Amino acid sequence: MSVNFDRRNFLKGTAAVTVSLAVPSFVAHAAESVVALTEKVTPTYGSWKDVYRSQWTWDRVVRSSHFVNCWYQAHCAWDVYVKDGLVFREEQAGEYPQVRADIPDYNPRGCQKGGCFSERMYDPTRITHPLRRVGPRGSGKWERVSWDEALDDIADTYLDATVDEGTDRTIWDLGPGLDLCASAAAQLRFSMLTQSISLDPNGEIGDSRRGTFETFGKIGFERSADDYFNSDLILIWGCNPIQTQIPNAHFYLEAKYRGARIIAISPDYSPSAIKSDLWVPVRPGTDGALALGICHVLIEENRINRPFILEQTDLPLLVRADTDRFLTEADLKKGGREDRYFVWDEKTEKIAEAPWRSLQLGDLSPALDARSRVMLQDGKDIEVQTVYSRLRARLAAYTPENAANLCGTTPEMIRRLAHDIAASKAVTNVAQTSISKYYGGNLAERSMILIFCLTGNMGRKGAGFAGFPILMIDGTDKFAIPPTLQEANALFGRLVPMIEQRKQAGDTDEMIIGDFSQFMFRPGTGPMRLPVWTPGTLFWAVHAGILDLSDNAQQWNPYLKRPLRAYLTEALEKQWQPLQPPPDRDPRIMFSLVSNPLRRVRGNQKLLDTLWPKLRKIIVLDWRINSTARHADYVLPAAPWYERTNLKTITPLSPYLTIANQATKPLGDSKNDWAIIVLLTKHIQRRARERGITSVKSPQGVEVRLDRLYDDITMGGMFTENDEEKVVKTIYELSSTHKKVSWEELKKKGFARFERTGEEAMSIGNMCDFPDNDTIVPLTYHVQQKVPYPTATRRIQFYLDHPLYEEMDEVLPRYKEPPSIGGNHPLIMTGGKTRWSIHSTWRDSETMLRLHRPDPYLLMSIGDAKARQIQDGDWIRVRNDVGSFVCRAKVSPGLRQGQTLMYHAWESYQFRGKGDMNHVAPSPLNPVELAGGHPHLTYRFLSGQPSAFDRDTRIEVERLPEGKTA
Amino acid sequence: MNLVSQLGIDTVEARSEGYRRFAEAFQYPGGAVSTAGGSGPSGSDYLAVFDTALSKEACSLREATYASEDHSALFEELVRFYAYFGLRRTEDAEMPDHVSVELEFMHFLTYLEHRAGPQEDEVESLRRAQRDFLSRHLHRLMQGIRGGLRNRDGYYSGLVETCAEFVACELTSLEDLVGKVGAGANFVHDGIDAYNPTA
């Protein structure tokens, strides 16, 4: 700064001026103007107490909410108190109706994060004006610019990149906090019209629940939280709901007061384990071994539910001994179908085709444990056996003694768990996405699901394995995809013949809608113009170079037969997995919307050194200056939840659609996401016309009209940048999920119960009714109405005869020792969600930081700390073969030796020195997740794509010398 | 000799004008957008010095940063002060605890004092209000900014020092004129919670 302050000049002439009033920050309460106010009688002032003498009143109280990605506990209706254009406080609405007199209700809903959002949204991290960097990226030097200046510059760069290099060079990095309503509609329409690329974040955040996907052909199904009241055994396995599901936790505890038992299975004595009846500690990443040990006992003691297994699972299906593949009709007759499977019918003592239009067995009496011979169409006589027989052989290795050795509990405990589960009428587990963040999480999940299937705990009140809880309205796609609303019926009508044809062929709505989402990953191939999606994990692995961090993956993981790069190359070449843009086409522009990849992405150090140089513009849309914004070119100030009207739904756990009504005007120059994206198209359209650009073709040949982008995204001006609430209302009214509650009623009440599942790819997986006077029980259409599952065999499928599963010996569930991700180091770094933030949204909130230790810390056991001369609160360096970071040690008696735990989502700038918690997490690809070319093991929205793994990262820890903190 | 007498800002007109100038000087230069090329400090200078979201070296211009009470209690008292004298913050303004808003409010109070002319009761009443507002808010804020400022060179360092000195002189002068604030006039005192004074 070269300018100096001259106090004499600054105040020069103050005494000489004719005093005039200038108070632009104020208006008069009860006068025409502030000047007019000064002409009135000035109130007499005695002391500061006088200002408190009048009754405090609010200008208004607005029903609103926070659309943060708290997922399982989302969302909650709040009353927001407004005065002078500011939100002063919020209070839980607490008006959820009683669903049934004999089950607990949802009141009041809310947590301490929501309870301080009025502070958070006005704290110093808030961005109120468009910012442009004036120094190098990440230098922290910024200036405010006008919206016009920012959007013109971004529009020009966008046009340059799109015209010169292609439509697929523009990337939308989307965080899981995306609202799935107005913001999503704007982004989806932009992507649909421009064929720019949207990153599917679900795998990359480790939430794609691979094991569930492999077994059910879908991941999205879960009960309403009040249905846990109907359970008599609740497994808190791989999760920590007392800490991470604050508004839901009472349901689990109320179930306990009713008589249900809660068993917590976790390596550490977690806040949830404290509330359980029994805590079963296991070594980190060995849950699968425990589950298989339980399965072993259930089978050996014949404590299984045969009718359920025979009807609902693939265990009675026959497998060829010569090829290890399912026996199909194609094996038995010329022209036979490969998707027709066979059982051994005990009545006729012959093979018989497994029912496929329905799960109902009819007159069939399939054998469960059978071995026989069949003659193939080519005359070959082969041996076949049931999946169950093979499974039983595989489980032979998992005696309680062996399993106990693997997972670190006792054989007696495994037997006790098996007996407890078998003796219970309704067993369920609490939904989680922690197991799936272990490298072998898919195997562990499959093994856990096997317990539920062997005992028939599925699709009943209080009973069932918890999938990924997701529930959305279906109006967003209906709004985002058609060129205009007038054309929507004709557009979607084109799908009817295809749907009817598939239905006649025996496919279900769930299968058809699930498959439809695949078109969005193959641009230009769908029956209509669609937004373009690509798996986030693969994008970061290839374009950000994160795959480079796992060059030593074969040393870490002895089960790998080839370098990871070879598996990826095969998957891309065979089109088992999509990647847009392809590896040889560098991305040029990245919009980060409700996202924070420099905080979130495992191995994020590669983003700055590999991806950032490829990008000509990095634009962050957010209301606060997060880790990614600090390294962006532009930060566009987005309005937070109290400053816009929007909707969000997430999970059946709380089966309510929640509205955030606008309480105040956006602060400063902030704008809502819809307005920002639509304004961007306005600038692109204007600049395109000024530059004589009309249209370009996408790499797939889809025409992209740049000169009418604004006209198209607004449907000819029907939904302009000023119309976010109109968009939200339209989406609500297009949704089939809510027909009983009007828009006006919803705005007033703040929430509306789902009446049914939406007709979209994820929610439909719940496959159940949504009664207004009872709990919600997922999968009842399968279990009670016998509707087939969307798997290859149309059953809950444990046998996966895909080449990659064969190569990795994962055709059936098994246990694999956790790999030494990051190198051969003695400690394992586990993780979990923190109590004090939802992802990074409150991570640096002063209010929250006052409630716990404010520096990033690593929990470690007393023994491990002692062995390293580390004391509680010491500064330590955490390191492995790929990176390091500095944090404090929190020595905890709740952790077992060998385990460390780093709670989630510290911002990178909260760490001292270089490096953050993701720098030690290379997150190598798991080859089986690259599978494709299979009826159900293939990519689709939010699932079937590679994941991220950080739970079994290996580290070493050392105390920093006295006085050093970085 | 203190700043006020040194620079001759001891009349109510000069004081009012001084508050106005300080209020403006603590705004982003040139309004919302950059003034690159101007003769004063640039927008990026301002952000580097005062935007704690953007720079670890920055110091906050918000009173909440230096206050022990929660923001809603602080906002309430500020809004009550403003409302007592008939003002309401515009929705486009900075937050009610921003230094420029508090300075602007002092500009308003001193302007009223100027308008009151020879009416002693009214002048004294307004001076008590000024003293209390400075004592309870603006002085604390300026001391906080002064303490939090890392960069001791340059335009904004001079501005902060001058303004802090001005505010301190003002408080002393007002205390001389109308007496000090009664004992225990901190935010919570004598068992009276300012947030809930009737309790």
Side-chain angles (χ1 to χ4, degrees), chain A residues 107-123:
Chain A
N107 292 303
R109 296 199 70 75
C111 72
Q112 84 279 38
K113 280 86 72 182
C116 72
F117 189 66
S118 55
E119 285 202 41
R120 181 59 169 157
M121 69 188 278
Y122 297 135
D123 80 10

PDB file of all heavy atoms in Angstrom, chain A residues 107-123:
ATOM      1  N   ASN A 107     -41.158 -33.750  16.712  1.00  0.00           N
ATOM      2  CA  ASN A 107     -40.793 -32.481  17.329  1.00  0.00           C
ATOM      3  C   ASN A 107     -39.599 -32.595  18.263  1.00  0.00           C
ATOM      4  O   ASN A 107     -39.406 -33.644  18.854  1.00  0.00           O
ATOM      5  CB  ASN A 107     -42.002 -31.936  18.102  1.00  0.00           C
ATOM      6  CG  ASN A 107     -43.089 -31.528  17.143  1.00  0.00           C
ATOM      7  OD1 ASN A 107     -42.861 -30.719  16.280  1.00  0.00           O
ATOM      8  ND2 ASN A 107     -44.255 -32.140  17.277  1.00  0.00           N
ATOM      9  N   PRO A 108     -38.794 -31.558  18.422  1.00  0.00           N
ATOM     10  CA  PRO A 108     -38.957 -30.281  17.723  1.00  0.00           C
ATOM     11  C   PRO A 108     -38.135 -30.190  16.443  1.00  0.00           C
ATOM     12  O   PRO A 108     -38.390 -29.347  15.624  1.00  0.00           O
ATOM     13  CB  PRO A 108     -38.434 -29.288  18.745  1.00  0.00           C
ATOM     14  CG  PRO A 108     -37.386 -30.036  19.497  1.00  0.00           C
ATOM     15  CD  PRO A 108     -37.819 -31.465  19.521  1.00  0.00           C
ATOM     16  N   ARG A 109     -37.186 -30.999  16.223  1.00  0.00           N
ATOM     17  CA  ARG A 109     -36.224 -30.977  15.102  1.00  0.00           C
ATOM     18  C   ARG A 109     -35.359 -29.718  15.100  1.00  0.00           C
ATOM     19  O   ARG A 109     -35.863 -28.612  15.174  1.00  0.00           O
ATOM     20  CB  ARG A 109     -36.899 -31.120  13.726  1.00  0.00           C
ATOM     21  CG  ARG A 109     -37.589 -32.435  13.527  1.00  0.00           C
ATOM     22  CD  ARG A 109     -37.847 -32.744  12.085  1.00  0.00           C
ATOM     23  NE  ARG A 109     -36.598 -33.025  11.369  1.00  0.00           N
ATOM     24  CZ  ARG A 109     -35.911 -34.155  11.480  1.00  0.00           C
ATOM     25  NH1 ARG A 109     -36.331 -35.107  12.297  1.00  0.00           N
ATOM     26  NH2 ARG A 109     -34.816 -34.312  10.793  1.00  0.00           N
ATOM     27  N   GLY A 110     -34.084 -29.956  14.977  1.00  0.00           N
ATOM     28  CA  GLY A 110     -33.125 -28.848  14.934  1.00  0.00           C
ATOM     29  C   GLY A 110     -31.883 -29.236  15.717  1.00  0.00           C
ATOM     30  O   GLY A 110     -31.899 -30.189  16.494  1.00  0.00           O
ATOM     31  N   CYS A 111     -30.811 -28.533  15.459  1.00  0.00           N
ATOM     32  CA  CYS A 111     -29.585 -28.796  16.204  1.00  0.00           C
ATOM     33  C   CYS A 111     -28.891 -27.464  16.467  1.00  0.00           C
ATOM     34  O   CYS A 111     -29.364 -26.405  16.053  1.00  0.00           O
ATOM     35  CB  CYS A 111     -28.655 -29.753  15.439  1.00  0.00           C
ATOM     36  SG  CYS A 111     -27.868 -29.002  14.006  1.00  0.00           S
ATOM     37  N   GLN A 112     -27.769 -27.541  17.161  1.00  0.00           N
ATOM     38  CA  GLN A 112     -27.102 -26.301  17.574  1.00  0.00           C
ATOM     39  C   GLN A 112     -26.531 -25.535  16.382  1.00  0.00           C
ATOM     40  O   GLN A 112     -26.343 -24.311  16.466  1.00  0.00           O
ATOM     41  CB  GLN A 112     -26.016 -26.627  18.625  1.00  0.00           C
ATOM     42  CG  GLN A 112     -24.661 -27.059  18.109  1.00  0.00           C
ATOM     43  CD  GLN A 112     -24.580 -28.510  17.711  1.00  0.00           C
ATOM     44  OE1 GLN A 112     -25.515 -29.077  17.160  1.00  0.00           O
ATOM     45  NE2 GLN A 112     -23.428 -29.134  17.948  1.00  0.00           N
ATOM     46  N   LYS A 113     -26.270 -26.242  15.262  1.00  0.00           N
ATOM     47  CA  LYS A 113     -25.758 -25.520  14.087  1.00  0.00           C
ATOM     48  C   LYS A 113     -26.846 -24.625  13.497  1.00  0.00           C
ATOM     49  O   LYS A 113     -26.625 -23.443  13.243  1.00  0.00           O
ATOM     50  CB  LYS A 113     -25.250 -26.505  13.024  1.00  0.00           C
ATOM     51  CG  LYS A 113     -23.882 -27.056  13.281  1.00  0.00           C
ATOM     52  CD  LYS A 113     -23.883 -28.269  14.180  1.00  0.00           C
ATOM     53  CE  LYS A 113     -24.429 -29.502  13.527  1.00  0.00           C
ATOM     54  NZ  LYS A 113     -24.465 -30.670  14.434  1.00  0.00           N
ATOM     55  N   GLY A 114     -28.017 -25.204  13.317  1.00  0.00           N
ATOM     56  CA  GLY A 114     -29.136 -24.402  12.826  1.00  0.00           C
ATOM     57  C   GLY A 114     -29.484 -23.296  13.803  1.00  0.00           C
ATOM     58  O   GLY A 114     -29.860 -22.189  13.395  1.00  0.00           O
ATOM     59  N   GLY A 115     -29.328 -23.595  15.066  1.00  0.00           N
ATOM     60  CA  GLY A 115     -29.693 -22.632  16.099  1.00  0.00           C
ATOM     61  C   GLY A 115     -28.792 -21.416  16.165  1.00  0.00           C
ATOM     62  O   GLY A 115     -29.118 -20.435  16.849  1.00  0.00           O
ATOM     63  N   CYS A 116     -27.663 -21.462  15.480  1.00  0.00           N
ATOM     64  CA  CYS A 116     -26.798 -20.276  15.482  1.00  0.00           C
ATOM     65  C   CYS A 116     -26.550 -19.775  14.059  1.00  0.00           C
ATOM     66  O   CYS A 116     -25.607 -19.024  13.822  1.00  0.00           O
ATOM     67  CB  CYS A 116     -25.468 -20.556  16.185  1.00  0.00           C
ATOM     68  SG  CYS A 116     -24.350 -21.611  15.270  1.00  0.00           S
ATOM     69  N   PHE A 117     -27.406 -20.186  13.127  1.00  0.00           N
ATOM     70  CA  PHE A 117     -27.114 -19.765  11.759  1.00  0.00           C
ATOM     71  C   PHE A 117     -27.240 -18.253  11.578  1.00  0.00           C
ATOM     72  O   PHE A 117     -26.557 -17.664  10.734  1.00  0.00           O
ATOM     73  CB  PHE A 117     -27.978 -20.505  10.737  1.00  0.00           C
ATOM     74  CG  PHE A 117     -27.524 -20.219   9.340  1.00  0.00           C
ATOM     75  CD1 PHE A 117     -26.271 -20.652   8.921  1.00  0.00           C
ATOM     76  CD2 PHE A 117     -28.276 -19.464   8.467  1.00  0.00           C
ATOM     77  CE1 PHE A 117     -25.794 -20.351   7.651  1.00  0.00           C
ATOM     78  CE2 PHE A 117     -27.814 -19.159   7.196  1.00  0.00           C
ATOM     79  CZ  PHE A 117     -26.568 -19.599   6.789  1.00  0.00           C
ATOM     80  N   SER A 118     -28.102 -17.629  12.365  1.00  0.00           N
ATOM     81  CA  SER A 118     -28.225 -16.167  12.236  1.00  0.00           C
ATOM     82  C   SER A 118     -26.903 -15.497  12.604  1.00  0.00           C
ATOM     83  O   SER A 118     -26.601 -14.410  12.104  1.00  0.00           O
ATOM     84  CB  SER A 118     -29.354 -15.645  13.116  1.00  0.00           C
ATOM     85  OG  SER A 118     -29.168 -16.054  14.448  1.00  0.00           O
ATOM     86  N   GLU A 119     -26.127 -16.119  13.449  1.00  0.00           N
ATOM     87  CA  GLU A 119     -24.784 -15.579  13.729  1.00  0.00           C
ATOM     88  C   GLU A 119     -23.831 -15.917  12.598  1.00  0.00           C
ATOM     89  O   GLU A 119     -23.043 -15.086  12.153  1.00  0.00           O
ATOM     90  CB  GLU A 119     -24.239 -16.164  15.036  1.00  0.00           C
ATOM     91  CG  GLU A 119     -24.874 -15.587  16.268  1.00  0.00           C
ATOM     92  CD  GLU A 119     -23.987 -15.762  17.495  1.00  0.00           C
ATOM     93  OE1 GLU A 119     -22.756 -15.584  17.374  1.00  0.00           O
ATOM     94  OE2 GLU A 119     -24.520 -16.070  18.542  1.00  0.00           O
ATOM     95  N   ARG A 120     -23.918 -17.178  12.182  1.00  0.00           N
ATOM     96  CA  ARG A 120     -22.989 -17.660  11.161  1.00  0.00           C
ATOM     97  C   ARG A 120     -23.099 -16.848   9.866  1.00  0.00           C
ATOM     98  O   ARG A 120     -22.095 -16.503   9.247  1.00  0.00           O
ATOM     99  CB  ARG A 120     -23.279 -19.144  10.886  1.00  0.00           C
ATOM    100  CG  ARG A 120     -22.379 -19.796   9.856  1.00  0.00           C
ATOM    101  CD  ARG A 120     -20.948 -19.726  10.263  1.00  0.00           C
ATOM    102  NE  ARG A 120     -20.067 -20.538   9.447  1.00  0.00           N
ATOM    103  CZ  ARG A 120     -18.769 -20.301   9.324  1.00  0.00           C
ATOM    104  NH1 ARG A 120     -18.215 -19.288   9.953  1.00  0.00           N
ATOM    105  NH2 ARG A 120     -18.012 -21.080   8.592  1.00  0.00           N
ATOM    106  N   MET A 121     -24.332 -16.557   9.457  1.00  0.00           N
ATOM    107  CA  MET A 121     -24.511 -15.897   8.156  1.00  0.00           C
ATOM    108  C   MET A 121     -24.025 -14.452   8.172  1.00  0.00           C
ATOM    109  O   MET A 121     -23.818 -13.859   7.112  1.00  0.00           O
ATOM    110  CB  MET A 121     -25.966 -15.957   7.706  1.00  0.00           C
ATOM    111  CG  MET A 121     -26.912 -15.113   8.522  1.00  0.00           C
ATOM    112  SD  MET A 121     -28.638 -15.418   8.092  1.00  0.00           S
ATOM    113  CE  MET A 121     -28.838 -14.395   6.653  1.00  0.00           C
ATOM    114  N   TYR A 122     -23.842 -13.894   9.359  1.00  0.00           N
ATOM    115  CA  TYR A 122     -23.351 -12.517   9.433  1.00  0.00           C
ATOM    116  C   TYR A 122     -21.927 -12.437   9.965  1.00  0.00           C
ATOM    117  O   TYR A 122     -21.447 -11.353  10.258  1.00  0.00           O
ATOM    118  CB  TYR A 122     -24.264 -11.688  10.345  1.00  0.00           C
ATOM    119  CG  TYR A 122     -25.697 -11.563   9.856  1.00  0.00           C
ATOM    120  CD1 TYR A 122     -26.767 -11.726  10.722  1.00  0.00           C
ATOM    121  CD2 TYR A 122     -25.968 -11.266   8.521  1.00  0.00           C
ATOM    122  CE1 TYR A 122     -28.078 -11.591  10.279  1.00  0.00           C
ATOM    123  CE2 TYR A 122     -27.277 -11.148   8.072  1.00  0.00           C
ATOM    124  CZ  TYR A 122     -28.324 -11.314   8.955  1.00  0.00           C
ATOM    125  OH  TYR A 122     -29.609 -11.188   8.508  1.00  0.00           O
ATOM    126  N   ASP A 123     -21.278 -13.570  10.113  1.00  0.00           N
ATOM    127  CA  ASP A 123     -19.928 -13.499  10.688  1.00  0.00           C
ATOM    128  C   ASP A 123     -18.922 -13.093   9.608  1.00  0.00           C
ATOM    129  O   ASP A 123     -19.281 -12.915   8.439  1.00  0.00           O
ATOM    130  CB  ASP A 123     -19.587 -14.795  11.438  1.00  0.00           C
ATOM    131  CG  ASP A 123     -19.155 -15.933  10.530  1.00  0.00           C
ATOM    132  OD1 ASP A 123     -18.924 -15.712   9.330  1.00  0.00           O
ATOM    133  OD2 ASP A 123     -19.033 -17.064  11.034  1.00  0.00           O
TER     134      ASP A 123
END
